[in-house]
Amino acid sequence: MEFQERVLKEVVKIPRGKALTYKKLALKLNSSPRAVAKALASNPWPIKIPCHRVVMSNGKVGGYKLGKKMKIKLLRKEGVRIKMERLLNFNNNSKFKKVR
DNA sequence: CCCATGACTAATT
DNA sequence: AAATTAGCCATGG
């Protein structure tokens, strides 16, 4: 199974209004955050796959194929609160970052 | 096969 | 607190 496919399979599991970091994805896939990011950057279906729910480990939103503006807009639309490109309530150790 | 390139991170300055 | 630096690993040339 291709690496990118493994990444996307995980990404689709992220619930609405929540976010996962590149790092956590990488750990789960025994890879590196950079490799994960690269896989998402070449995401063939930026609409179908919710890759906007993958953020940086420091709480900043990180990049997006269609631009940060769009990424933030999508997250906000799902109820995620963001200030200065940074997610709020980014302080828990649960599997997914709970926001809202 | 070798090398450069990132939607990144952690440690250091 | 912001900027640099050194690792990271899948991918494409």
Side-chain angles (χ1 to χ4, degrees), chain A residues 16-74:
Chain A
R16 224 187 107 86
K18 308 263 183 79
L20 194 52
T21 66
Y22 294 96
K23 181 178 178 183
K24 285 192 174 180
L25 266 181
L27 290 174
K28 170 164 280 204
L29 299 173
N30 298 310
S31 182
S32 77
R34 302 210 71 179
V36 169
K38 189 173 223 308
L40 294 182
S42 54
N43 175 3
W45 311 281
I47 311 296
K48 194 180 175 78
I49 309 286
C51 49
H52 58 279
R53 297 183 187 144
V54 184
V55 303
M56 301 207 296
S57 63
N58 63 7
K60 294 252 195 124
V61 295
Y64 190 57
K65 186 79 169 304
L66 313 175
K68 263 185 206 184
K69 303 288 277 287
M70 183 56 72
K71 185 167 185 175
I72 291 173
K73 183 187 287 186
L74 289 171

